[in-house]
Amino acid sequence: MSFQTIEAKPIAGALGAEIEGVDLSKPLSNHQAEELHQAFLDHKVIFLRNQSLEPAQQVAAARLFGMPYEIPFVTPMDGYPEVIEITRERNDAGKHNFGGNWHSDMSFQAVPPKGSMLYTVEVPPYGGDTMWVSMEAAYAALSDGMKAMLDGMKVMHSGKRSYGSRGTYSNDSNQTGTMKVGADNSGDAEVAHPLVRTNPETGNKSLFINQVYAVRLADMTEDESKPILDTLIRHSLKPEFSCRFRWSPGTVAVWDNRCTMHYAISDYDGQRRVARRVTLAGETPV
Ligand code: SIN
């Protein structure tokens, strides 16, 4: 789609576009706000470089896309309950990288988030890129037989591998930078979501699974589910369904968690990276 008040330049075939002509620190006209939201829906992840946002301005900018909310387990920035600061210091080499597995943010919640907005404060001179895949493109490329088999199936999502009583963050040595990420037995809970999800704003279907939180198919064990989930994840990770973004300081990305997975690449040991994320409330998946 072409726009009148912004320019959207795709960075890959399946998803991702850089947006030009927007200063998120200032109020946008209704027309520009509508076009920006449409670009988010069309491209699934959009990037705006050369922004300068204090945390309160980031929360205000995030409201252009949805309702910011306070997520569980990650301690927010002082005074900004909807903002988490994702930090990794030079001396965090070898530690778990927050977001460093293919996931859709907080998909283990009964009402998982619509989207997320990340704003980079400091980026390493190389590395620290983030990748996304379009789960809509992945679904569309499945055979009719596979689509028919998956139709109506449910998947159990849980935070247990990250935030559960024995999850990654139950081990204090996995904390990085100034982040405080909690883990307890509330993270072990499971919730059922449809394996194929329809985006209420576009009407398009996507696979709604990911490597971290989609732990098993409903009514099956993890062992029984693994071959099917692994096959679908492997299919979804085809390079043709992906984009990769090289950050610069002061860049905003906004992605749709309903139809994408993303992966923060951990290849910058010895360097510092600081980014702030606001998460946007969603709807019950159907
Ligand atoms: C996240 O999963 O929200 C982190 C993404 C990133 O740091 O690039």
Side-chain angles (χ1 to χ4, degrees):
M1 180 179 285
S2 70
F3 298 106
Q4 289 170 334
T5 64
I6 61 174
E7 197 174 351
K9 296 182 171 169
I11 64 163
L15 81 170
E18 286 208 33
I19 305 295
E20 286 177 7
V22 179
D23 178 351
L24 289 173
S25 69
K26 303 210 168 91
L28 272 48
S29 69
N30 288 346
H31 190 195
Q32 197 174 39
E34 276 163 26
E35 292 203 328
L36 193 60
H37 191 259
Q38 190 60 48
F40 157 79
L41 293 177
D42 291 350
H43 296 283
K44 299 173 186 62
V45 52
I46 56 172
F47 307 97
L48 299 94
R49 293 193 191 269
N50 303 315
Q51 305 293 317
S52 176
L53 299 177
E54 293 302 323
Q57 292 173 304
Q58 185 180 350
V59 175
R63 287 204 184 95
L64 295 164
F65 301 92
M67 184 59 70
Y69 79 108
E70 184 172 349
I71 59 163
F73 301 114
V74 187
T75 303
M77 285 181 78
D78 266 356
Y80 302 99
E82 304 103 337
V83 186
I84 60 166
E85 195 164 58
I86 299 172
T87 56
R88 195 173 170 87
E89 296 294 341
R90 290 187 172 78
N91 59 4
D92 283 330
K95 290 190 181 178
H96 177 76
N97 199 41
F98 185 85
N101 282 304
W102 285 106
H103 67 289
S104 168
D105 291 326
M106 304 273 147
S107 73
F108 57 86
Q109 293 196 288
V111 183
K114 163 183 177 171
S116 303
M117 173 188 274
L118 194 72
Y119 169 69
T120 45
V121 177
E122 189 171 336
V123 300
Y126 58 84
D129 297 358
T130 306
M131 293 187 72
W132 284 263
V133 286
S134 167
M135 298 302 272
E136 205 176 288
Y139 175 75
L142 292 172
S143 65
D144 289 345
M146 181 60 105
K147 285 181 184 158
M149 189 184 96
L150 301 179
D151 192 36
M153 284 177 99
K154 298 253 185 195
V155 177
M156 306 310 293
H157 291 241
S158 169
K160 68 182 180 183
R161 294 174 185 159
S162 303
Y163 311 116
S165 48
R166 286 184 291 162
T168 305
Y169 291 105
S170 64
N171 180 347
D172 268 353
S173 68
N174 282 320
Q175 307 285 341
T176 57
T178 52
M179 291 189 82
K180 285 199 185 65
V181 187
D184 59 49
N185 54 15
S186 70
D188 297 330
E190 290 187 342
V191 62
H193 290 313
L195 196 160
V196 179
R197 176 177 188 181
T198 304
N199 186 324
E201 293 186 277
T202 63
N204 298 334
K205 288 184 173 184
S206 297
L207 290 173
F208 190 55
I209 52 169
N210 61 78
Q211 256 179 349
V212 187
Y213 305 129
V215 292
R216 65 183 178 92
L217 298 169
D219 305 321
M220 293 192 200
T221 65
E222 288 193 25
D223 277 355
E224 288 165 343
S225 312
K226 194 171 170 6
I228 298 173
L229 289 176
D230 283 355
T231 299
L232 292 174
I233 293 285
R234 195 166 52 246
H235 163 77
S236 305
L237 297 183
K238 281 202 179 115
E240 287 78 2
F241 306 148
S242 76
C243 72
R244 175 174 177 150
F245 189 70
R246 171 83 200 121
W247 298 98
S248 45
T251 301
V252 168
V254 192
W255 61 87
D256 194 329
N257 281 306
R258 301 169 296 190
C259 55
T260 62
M261 295 191 293
H262 59 284
Y263 186 115
I265 302 176
S266 176
D267 60 349
Y268 57 97
D269 274 358
Q271 307 295 333
R272 185 165 197 257
R273 183 179 187 269
V274 179
R276 295 180 186 145
R277 197 183 89 195
V278 175
T279 314
L280 302 167
E283 56 279 312
T284 304
V286 287

